[in-house]
Amino acid sequence: MCHVLNHLVQQSAPAEGPGRRHLLKTLGAATAAGALLPLAATGPATAAARRHRTRLVLLGTAGGPAWLDGGRCGVSSAVVYGDRVYLVDLGHGAMHRLVQSGLGAGDGLGSALTPVRGIFLTHLHSDHVADWPALFATGPANIVGRGAEPIHVFGPGDRGVLPAVFPPGAPAPAVFNPERPTPGLTAMTGYLGQAFATDFNGRARESGFTRPDDLFSVHDIDLGGVWSVDPAGKPPRLESPLRVWEDGDVRVTATLVDHAPTAPAFAFRFDTPDGSVVFSGDTRVSANLIELARDADVLVHEVIDPRFVDQLAAALPASRREAMREHLLTSHTTIDQVGRDVAEPAGVRQLVLNHLVPATNPARRWKAAQKGYSGKLVVGEDLLTLGVGRG
């Protein structure tokens, strides 16, 4: 979904005609359905959760790069442990929601990133990293009161090979940046340094600003000896999770999930003395993820509505309709799958639906994910805060 919707209107239906009108009508109806979504999640549950030492804060809950309305920002979350903050994914609007969340010092001087210890990017689709350039460029202006410790950033490395063309047999499109067509997080960040050089050089000379590459320590997650990504992008079954980082009492591990042909794609698990939180990233039902999430307190999982996929597919030319529908439904997890086939076998105590596609569905539609799942189901909202473990 995340690599299709941004081109759907422009490329999948003609400039005029019934196909385009049907697609626009579908998106418009979805927008109307979600127009009354709250700007922020508040109330007794969120207030009580803030008393927990370990907390989950959903910053943005929309999946895909297409903006259907302004009720939800792009996917991004925070794990809070005491006065430390760890961010997972940086979809469009993540920086804005981080400020709104109040997780910074709130002194009005630019401290949104002051408590942030680490950033973890599940994969490099635009709807998960759109705010990384903004955060990288403006980071030095938002760390008032912070010490010298850098913010550690972890994400996929260079996959080394282009994904297969979809659908099979379609002509190969022109390649962007053919000298390095699949840069990982470290290389991507290097390009940001080039793109913002005028700003960075000017501020360093004019105001003595900290360089972003001094503030952020960027790491590609090493898959050496684990997987050499191929064009199909189907990850292997892992015998054990990948060790990513330990920050005192906070331990972060990862696994490979199946978002083929996009690869590598990661899920992350955070363990603190209070409990555990797992983030699926984008994936179909994944045995690796189920193992990573075993007995977790909270599983934050993506979800897609197959009815919406059917509506989108109906707007496509007949020659592409079924292939596109199958592709969307085999790279994501549906409403009927996420509780029954993932959360229940993993034995997680609480399932939080996130990366909602479409973002404008009514909550009652998402609540159908409870079927087959015996734990607590929460439909994510922007700025919702949930306590983890003991208060």
Side-chain angles (χ1 to χ4, degrees), residues 54-58 77-79 277 279 298 300 352 384-386 388:
T54 300
R55 307 186 299 280
L56 164 68
V57 182
L58 301 180
S77 304
V79 175
V277 184
F279 296 88
V298 182
V300 184
V352 178
L384 176 67
T385 299
L386 299 171
V388 179

Side-chain angles (χ1 to χ4, degrees), residues 347-362:
V348 299
R349 284 172 275 286
Q350 189 165 203
L351 170 62
V352 178
L353 301 182
N354 195 19
H355 191 277
L356 305 172
V357 178
T360 50
N361 256 5

Side-chain angles (χ1 to χ4, degrees), residues 2-382:
C2 47
H3 46 296
V4 174
L5 284 182
N6 56 333
H7 295 300
L8 193 56
V9 173
Q10 293 91 339
Q11 297 184 356
S12 296
E16 299 294 341
R20 182 177 178 87
R21 288 194 294 271
H22 176 80
L23 175 59
L24 294 175
K25 181 179 179 181
T26 295
L27 295 177
T31 299
L36 299 180
L37 285 171
L39 175 63
T42 58
T46 288
R50 287 177 179 148
R51 294 195 290 267
H52 283 69
R53 180 173 62 174
T54 300
R55 307 186 299 280
L56 164 68
V57 182
L58 301 180
L59 299 175
T61 54
W67 279 85
L68 301 186
D69 77 357
R72 297 181 188 270
C73 285
V75 64
S76 182
S77 304
V79 175
V80 183
Y81 177 67
D83 59 358
R84 307 178 197 175
V85 175
Y86 306 87
L87 302 178
V88 179
D89 284 333
L90 295 169
H92 198 171
M95 187 70 172
H96 180 62
R97 289 292 198 229
L98 179 62
V99 173
Q100 285 185 314
S101 73
L103 293 175
D107 52 19
L109 298 175
S111 59
L113 296 180
T114 300
V116 175
R117 305 277 295 186
I119 299 171
F120 302 83
L121 302 176
T122 60
H123 62 294
L124 298 184
H125 272 156
S126 58
D127 57 320
H128 292 252
V129 300
D131 259 24
W132 172 230
L135 194 146
F136 181 79
T138 62
N142 288 281
I143 55 170
V144 172
R146 184 184 181 88
E149 176 71 17
I151 297 173
H152 292 272
V153 188
F154 300 86
D158 191 329
R159 70 178 286 165
V161 61
L162 285 167
V165 174
F166 184 86
V175 176
F176 280 88
N177 195 35
E179 295 80 14
R180 191 165 190 178
T182 59
L185 176 60
T186 298
M188 173 187 178
T189 304
Y191 289 132
L192 295 179
Q194 297 178 41
F196 287 100
T198 296
D199 179 71
F200 297 161
N201 287 327
R203 292 188 187 278
R205 282 165 165 72
E206 297 159 8
S207 309
F209 263 43
T210 301
R211 294 168 55 92
D213 45 5
D214 291 333
L215 173 59
F216 297 101
S217 180
V218 181
H219 314 270
D220 291 344
I221 296 175
D222 184 12
L223 291 179
V226 176
W227 185 31
S228 294
V229 182
D230 56 24
K234 286 285 193 181
R237 185 76 169 89
L238 299 188
E239 295 182 359
S240 59
L242 307 169
R243 297 176 61 182
V244 177
W245 193 42
E246 289 193 20
D247 185 30
D249 287 339
V250 179
R251 180 165 54 96
V252 185
T253 52
T255 197
L256 291 166
V257 293
D258 189 352
H259 192 39
T262 297
F266 295 103
F268 293 107
R269 176 172 178 141
F270 293 76
D271 285 285
T272 80
D274 304 312
S276 51
V277 184
V278 177
F279 296 88
S280 73
D282 282 6
T283 182
R284 63 182 298 169
V285 175
S286 165
N288 282 342
L289 172 65
I290 292 170
E291 188 59 36
L292 184 74
R294 188 77 61 194
D295 298 325
D297 291 280
V298 182
L299 170 61
V300 184
H301 204 293
E302 67 119 92
V303 64
I304 193 169
D305 186 345
R307 292 183 186 175
F308 186 64
V309 173
D310 287 342
Q311 290 174 321
L312 291 175
L316 296 172
S319 61
R320 297 182 57 201
R321 191 170 297 153
E322 287 308 310
M324 183 62 73
R325 179 181 179 278
E326 180 181 357
H327 177 62
L328 293 176
L329 293 178
T330 57
S331 62
H332 293 278
T333 305
T334 63
I335 294 172
D336 61 321
Q337 293 172 326
V338 65
R340 180 193 67 203
D341 300 339
V342 183
E344 186 67 18
V348 299
R349 284 172 275 286
Q350 189 165 203
L351 170 62
V352 178
L353 301 182
N354 195 19
H355 191 277
L356 305 172
V357 178
T360 50
N361 256 5
R364 66 179 179 276
R365 176 65 180 151
W366 299 122
K367 289 179 180 177
Q370 184 73 66
K371 186 176 181 180
Y373 172 54
S374 58
K376 180 180 180 182
L377 176 71
V378 175
V379 179
E381 295 180 10
D382 287 20

